[in-house]
Amino acid sequence: MLKYYYQCTDCGKEYHTDEVIYLCPKCEKENKPEMPPKGVLKTLYDYNKLKEKYPSGIFSSLSKNNFLDILPVHSLDSFPYLKVGNTPFYKINKLEGDELPFQLYLKDESQNPTFSFKDRASNLVSAFAKENRINTIVAASTGNAGSSLAGICAAQNQKAIIFVPAKAPKAKLTQILMYGANIVPVDGTYDNAFDLSIAATKKFGWYNRNTAFNPFTIEGKKTVSFELFENLEQKTPDRIFIPVGDGVIISGVYKGFEDLLLLGVIDKMPEIIAVQAEGSDNISRNINSDVFLSKPSSTIADSISVDIPRNFYMAKKFIKEYNGKCITVSDDEIINASVLLSKNTGIFSEPAAATAFAGMLNYMSSGKIDENSKNIVLLTGCGLKDLNAVQSKISMPDAVKPEIASLDNLMLK
Ligand SMILES: *Cc1c(COP(=O)(O)O)cnc(C)c1O
């Protein structure tokens, strides 16, 4: 019995790990470019065997070995030396001076090596590549996945090729170049870059990290759930707010908690709130319909600006099965949430991450957060990645002469 196997999200067919690398071949044949892809694979383990291996204290035992038992690699030495994950987890008691009637926690994923959540996926994909002697990894990205793969590959002495929309925020493009990756700026959208990178993968035989296309992106991202459970001293949170674009982070979070359910570690799934930008709501708008209709996306939150969510069907299945909720917030709410978050907590998030916080504020103001419940906001990326987005909310005073008298007319407190 191999350590893990795959199951197709859509047709349910199971595959040995040496049979496929990306999508379920049967479902992939039917995929059309204007529709979310079917055939995304879920990675599964022999959960009963693990329960026998660790008859008691299973979570602590798994944690001691950094969850290697439920990851698709064989050695912890395959991971980069950079510190991915184990990000800060903060309890926030007050907002705008008011005591919160519920428990609010922030998971600060901007403290990953390349400053976003994406490192969790790149970390695992890179480790898998190392174990399989693959030296070139390619990814399409709105910016963060690309800068993440570029940084992780730099640490692992692997080659990264990154397809990004030429209009991605400058900081993200700069990161990719600084880490020494090959960059392919695409004159088009993220969706165009995605399709081009897949065509290139097929033509040149590279290994591809594209989100959802590579099943290990979900497996890498699930590790945050184990940390959250650990951060809460082995208690299940009541609710988690997650910013959603392609739907891979949210699926990763579900998958992590589902692994814990299957291992008998927990007995209920947290309520997951998928927060999208109004201008890029292709998951929330289609969640209850049988046919998928894409609307071109336009939002200030570039990391979640997606026309064709690449993990639509898996995310939808998880949300339906475990009673998750979808909400949308406007760009104004996102930017205001970013300001409020920075001022109140000292954490400056990029717009996509502030989207999750805006979702929490929206829930709070409509009285949907019950007293004493444990709520987590996943802050997925750092504010320095996109300085343009917040310029309208700040104003720089005129410079003063370096003389003490120039301070007389300033309202300094
Ligand atoms: C990629 C990303 C998201 C959204 O993740 P999906 O898997 O595309 O839903 C949210 N926030 C940040 C900062 C990201 O980089």
Side-chain angles (χ1 to χ4, degrees):
M1 170 86 199
L2 294 169
K3 184 177 179 186
Y4 59 95
Y5 61 99
Y6 300 120
Q7 185 179 42
C8 174
T9 302
D10 300 291
C11 74
K13 188 169 161 32
E14 294 182 359
Y15 293 96
H16 267 290
T17 48
D18 49 6
E19 285 180 297
V20 290
I21 308 175
Y22 305 117
L23 301 178
C24 162
K26 192 164 143 260
C27 292
E28 189 181 14
K29 269 192 251 139
E30 325 259 298
N31 284 340
K32 298 188 187 68
E34 69 281 6
M35 294 291 287
K38 289 203 170 170
V40 175
L41 299 176
K42 198 179 202 182
T43 309
L44 296 168
Y45 303 81
D46 190 339
Y47 298 97
N48 287 331
K49 204 169 106 190
L50 285 167
K51 283 203 241 179
E52 280 164 28
K53 182 174 170 189
Y54 303 113
S56 69
I58 184 163
F59 184 80
S60 305
S61 308
L62 293 169
S63 171
K64 263 189 215 120
N65 209 13
N66 279 316
F67 304 98
L68 185 65
D69 287 286
I70 37 176
L71 289 172
V73 287
H74 299 289
S75 164
L76 294 175
D77 294 337
S78 311
F79 288 100
Y81 55 81
L82 295 173
K83 185 179 154 287
V84 175
N86 287 314
T87 51
F89 184 72
Y90 300 116
K91 180 158 196 284
I92 304 298
N93 295 317
K94 278 186 177 178
L95 280 181
E96 303 289 82
D98 295 332
E99 204 75 40
L100 293 171
F102 51 86
Q103 299 176 42
L104 176 63
Y105 300 90
L106 306 177
K107 183 76 169 160
D108 185 8
E109 290 291 312
S110 73
Q111 300 302 304
N112 279 301
T114 76
F115 318 108
S116 85
F117 192 98
K118 296 293 194 287
D119 286 338
R120 291 181 184 272
S122 303
N123 196 41
L124 181 62
V125 169
S126 168
F128 178 85
K130 192 166 167 183
E131 291 190 354
N132 290 278
R133 301 202 167 74
I134 297 165
N135 204 37
T136 301
I137 314 177
V138 52
S141 164
T142 61
N144 281 340
S147 50
S148 167
L149 183 65
I152 298 289
C153 282
Q156 293 264 78
N157 199 15
Q158 292 166 327
K159 193 169 145 188
I161 303 174
I162 312 295
F163 291 74
V164 270
K167 289 201 185 76
K170 194 171 171 191
K172 301 181 184 182
L173 297 173
T174 304
Q175 278 185 288
I176 296 169
L177 292 166
M178 285 302 289
Y179 295 131
N182 280 311
I183 190 166
V184 185
V186 178
D187 182 14
T189 62
Y190 163 60
D191 295 84
N192 298 141
F194 197 100
D195 293 338
L196 184 61
S197 80
I198 303 255
T201 299
K202 288 189 174 144
K203 181 160 180 192
F204 302 112
W206 297 322
Y207 183 51
N208 188 304
R209 177 226 178 272
N210 280 14
T211 200
F213 184 65
N214 186 321
F216 299 153
T217 51
I218 298 150
E219 286 303 283
K221 289 175 177 186
K222 80 178 181 184
T223 56
V224 75
S225 302
F226 307 151
E227 279 174 36
L228 292 174
F229 187 67
E230 207 152 44
N231 292 148
L232 286 174
E233 285 156 0
Q234 304 203 12
K235 296 214 169 55
T236 312
D238 293 298
R239 196 172 291 104
I240 310 176
F241 294 88
I242 302 177
V244 175
D246 277 313
V248 177
I249 295 182
I250 191 172
S251 300
V253 171
Y254 270 123
K255 174 60 164 55
F257 282 108
E258 191 174 68
D259 279 355
L260 297 183
L261 277 174
L262 292 169
L263 290 167
V265 172
I266 61 173
D267 54 15
K268 64 156 195 183
M269 183 62 85
E271 180 183 51
I272 306 238
I273 316 294
V275 192
Q276 292 204 287
E278 270 173 20
S280 180
D281 62 348
N282 280 312
I283 291 189
S284 90
R285 210 165 21 80
N286 286 294
I287 192 83
N288 290 320
S289 68
D290 293 333
V291 281
F292 177 90
L293 287 176
S294 173
K295 197 180 78 186
S297 58
S298 164
T299 167
I300 195 158
D302 66 291
S303 298
I304 48 172
S305 185
V306 169
D307 294 349
I308 314 271
R310 303 292 159 165
N311 208 25
F312 175 73
Y313 294 107
M314 185 189 280
K316 176 175 172 176
K317 207 168 167 181
F318 272 132
I319 292 168
K320 292 275 176 201
E321 180 167 358
Y322 296 115
N323 289 316
K325 304 277 175 327
C326 290
I327 61 170
T328 60
V329 289
S330 67
D331 277 10
D332 267 354
E333 282 179 273
I334 293 171
I335 293 305
N336 290 333
S338 176
V339 172
L340 194 135
L341 176 69
S342 301
K343 277 192 184 154
N344 282 271
T345 68
I347 301 174
F348 178 22
S349 282
E350 68 163 276
T355 301
F357 195 72
M360 190 283 297
L361 292 174
N362 178 302
Y363 245 58
M364 183 172 92
S365 63
S366 39
K368 287 189 200 147
I369 306 188
D370 26 325
E371 251 177 65
N372 299 322
S373 58
K374 294 180 181 36
N375 300 271
I376 298 171
V377 180
L378 215 53
L379 296 176
T380 45
C382 174
L384 296 179
K385 280 175 171 278
D386 187 1
L387 293 176
N388 275 342
V390 291
Q391 293 308 312
S392 67
K393 290 288 164 186
I394 52 179
S395 69
M396 184 65 71
D398 291 335
V400 299
K401 290 226 163 60
E403 293 160 4
I404 192 69
S406 8
L407 303 185
D408 287 350
N409 296 327
L410 293 182
M411 301 283 287
L412 299 176
K413 300 181 267 178

